[in-house]
Amino acid sequence: MYNSKVIGLGKYVPERVVTNEELTRYMDTSDEWIRERTGIEQRHWVAEGDGNTTAVMGAKAARQALERAGLKPSDIDFIVFATLSPEFFFPGSGVLLQELLEMPTVGALDVRNQCSGFVYATAVADQFIKTGMYKNVLVVGSEIQSTGLDVSTRGRGVSVIFGDGAGAMILTRTEEKKKGLLAHSLHSEGKYADQLTVKYPASSFPSQKYFEHLQQNPDETGHFPYMNGNFVFKNAVVRFQEAIAEVLQKAGMSKEDLDLLIPHQANLRISQFIQKMFGLKDHQVYNNIQKYGNTTAASIPIALTEAWEAGKIKENDIVVLAAFGSGFTWGANLIKW
Ligand code: COA
């Protein structure tokens, strides 16, 4: 068995910055409410005509990661692309990325695990490397949330939270047994599928029928994200803790070994709660939700890239990535850098 380690990180966010103040023009909300409940000060949203799509943003992040890894697109053996906001119902964004990067006909797998997407994608990529099937795997998380949100007072409980962006990570094979990705935790609980969801149109309510229904029921909101915020919050704080504890335990470590926690940026209050539970200091938990909001599958690779750029990750550091989201799904990855 081989092991895999991170050799390149990249990120991209669209240029357009949407402040909390700007949102007050579209809905009944306030900068104070958003900051107090979520920690978010601004987010980046794609702009009409800026050329960004989910795969285009993923490609921008991937190019930066490739450059930093000293690799060409043709060196990549496999793509794992995590997103809940693909360009199309099908095919997924992974194949579009393969084309954009002018890569050879390597495999491209889309992961649809919402906020936990990048944690799942990382675990999947690691398995391909561990078994020896592939050497270099490109893992991407990219989201365009803004175009699917209900940007009105009706949707304010959800729409103020989400942002657009992309992050990328390149994993490569290593012979070192005690370095790189050492443990994963992956879980789901489908009984809460309807607590955080975009339901329609889909196979259970196909487009044509749904559009007819929408004409007769203009107040229908099934095509917008729905979130039972309080319930999600309560589950998130428990599941985050479990996932982090599980990877530490699997790696034979304790919370004292943890150097840096990169939580999925769901809500600053969730991150602060987890920090307190594990007795971590401020510099041991990386947060950037203030600038980007919740970018779903992109939030961890964006935060990981920023933390690395800021010199917060050193050789041999123990870094844990952890996420919780729609599904419910949750999990964590433990990396010895
Ligand atoms: N601006 C102003 N008021 C708002 C608002 C907004 N953007 N959104 C909701 N409100 C109002 C509600 O209508 C409600 O008013 P009411 O008391 O008159 O009915 C009040 O604020 C409280 O709403 P509530 O939903 O109970 O707030 P909350 O404290 O639970 O915070 C979240 C809402 C979404 C910030 C919070 O529940 C949360 O962060 N949940 C987890 C989110 C998450 O992690 N999601 C992603 C998982 S990956």
Side-chain angles (χ1 to χ4, degrees):
M1 284 267 278
Y2 296 102
N3 215 353
S4 63
K5 65 174 183 183
V6 180
I7 52 159
L9 291 165
K11 67 174 201 311
Y12 172 80
V13 290
E15 266 177 43
R16 181 182 170 210
V17 173
V18 177
T19 60
N20 293 344
E21 209 54 54
E22 180 177 338
L23 292 181
T24 65
R25 284 191 243 147
Y26 318 132
M27 62 185 80
D28 181 12
T29 189
S30 67
D31 178 46
E32 195 192 354
W33 192 96
I34 301 171
R35 276 179 202 249
E36 212 169 87
R37 305 282 176 130
T38 69
I40 300 167
E41 295 165 18
Q42 60 170 53
R43 71 285 293 140
H44 292 246
W45 282 1
V46 294
E48 195 82 33
D50 72 2
N52 279 315
T53 71
T54 307
V56 165
M57 295 202 309
K60 288 176 184 173
R63 281 192 195 98
Q64 190 177 52
L66 282 161
E67 200 186 311
R68 288 170 169 175
L71 296 183
K72 300 184 294 298
S74 57
D75 295 322
I76 296 295
D77 303 312
F78 194 65
I79 301 163
V80 188
F81 198 120
T83 187
L84 65 65
S85 50
E87 278 85 346
F88 311 122
F89 204 81
F90 71 84
S93 302
V95 298
L96 305 180
L97 180 89
Q98 178 268 336
E99 172 67 10
L100 283 167
L101 292 179
E102 299 177 46
M103 295 163 91
T105 57
V106 295
L109 173 75
D110 275 47
V111 167
R112 291 200 40 182
N113 284 73
Q114 301 71 248
C115 294
S116 316
F118 196 79
V119 163
Y120 269 75
T122 298
V124 168
D126 182 42
Q127 306 315 302
F128 280 117
I129 293 175
K130 280 208 165 80
T131 56
M133 184 159 169
Y134 297 124
K135 186 167 176 237
N136 299 317
V137 180
L138 170 61
V139 190
V140 173
S142 181
E143 303 283 5
I144 296 186
Q145 290 278 9
S146 59
T147 52
L149 298 172
D150 179 1
V151 186
S152 73
T153 299
R154 185 177 64 175
R156 66 183 180 174
V158 175
S159 54
V160 300
I161 294 173
F162 291 103
D164 303 338
M169 175 175 79
I170 293 161
L171 294 182
T172 197
R173 180 190 295 169
T174 172
E175 307 269 341
E176 289 179 273
K177 289 278 170 271
K178 292 189 175 144
K179 265 194 145 172
L181 285 141
L182 299 186
H184 306 288
S185 143
L186 302 173
H187 294 278
S188 71
E189 196 171 28
K191 75 176 164 198
Y192 298 130
D194 61 356
Q195 299 296 308
L196 178 48
T197 178
V198 176
K199 281 197 157 167
Y200 310 123
S203 57
S204 64
F205 204 157
S207 317
Q208 202 171 335
K209 275 193 183 165
Y210 185 69
F211 296 141
E212 283 164 18
H213 165 81
L214 201 55
Q215 273 179 341
Q216 273 130 41
N217 303 274
D219 292 332
E220 168 67 53
T221 54
H223 50 290
F224 288 123
Y226 165 77
M227 177 170 71
N228 182 350
N230 275 302
F231 189 71
V232 171
F233 194 103
K234 283 182 193 142
N235 278 268
V237 290
V238 174
R239 299 310 194 182
F240 262 106
Q241 287 182 73
E242 289 175 359
I244 297 164
E246 185 180 333
V247 285
L248 284 168
Q249 189 255 329
K250 279 184 174 170
M253 295 180 187
S254 67
K255 59 184 182 183
E256 285 72 32
D257 296 308
L258 185 54
D259 293 297
L260 186 65
L261 172 66
I262 310 236
H264 160 57
Q265 304 291 296
N267 183 319
L268 192 58
R269 282 159 57 213
I270 295 179
S271 294
Q272 288 165 340
F273 190 86
I274 305 302
Q275 177 177 339
K276 210 166 143 201
M277 290 296 111
F278 282 89
L280 300 170
K281 305 216 165 60
D282 285 352
H283 72 271
Q284 291 177 287
V285 183
Y286 193 80
N287 290 303
N288 62 8
I289 192 169
Q290 299 90 332
K291 294 189 287 183
Y292 305 120
N294 176 347
T295 55
T296 324
S299 96
I300 286 180
I302 292 174
L304 183 61
T305 303
E306 273 197 358
W308 176 80
E309 287 169 347
K312 290 182 187 293
I313 306 176
K314 299 179 301 300
E315 185 87 19
N316 292 322
D317 272 359
I318 301 300
V319 179
V320 168
L321 318 178
F324 175 88
S326 161
F328 291 151
T329 57
W330 65 96
N333 319 104
L334 185 142
I335 309 169
K336 181 164 184 179
W337 211 264

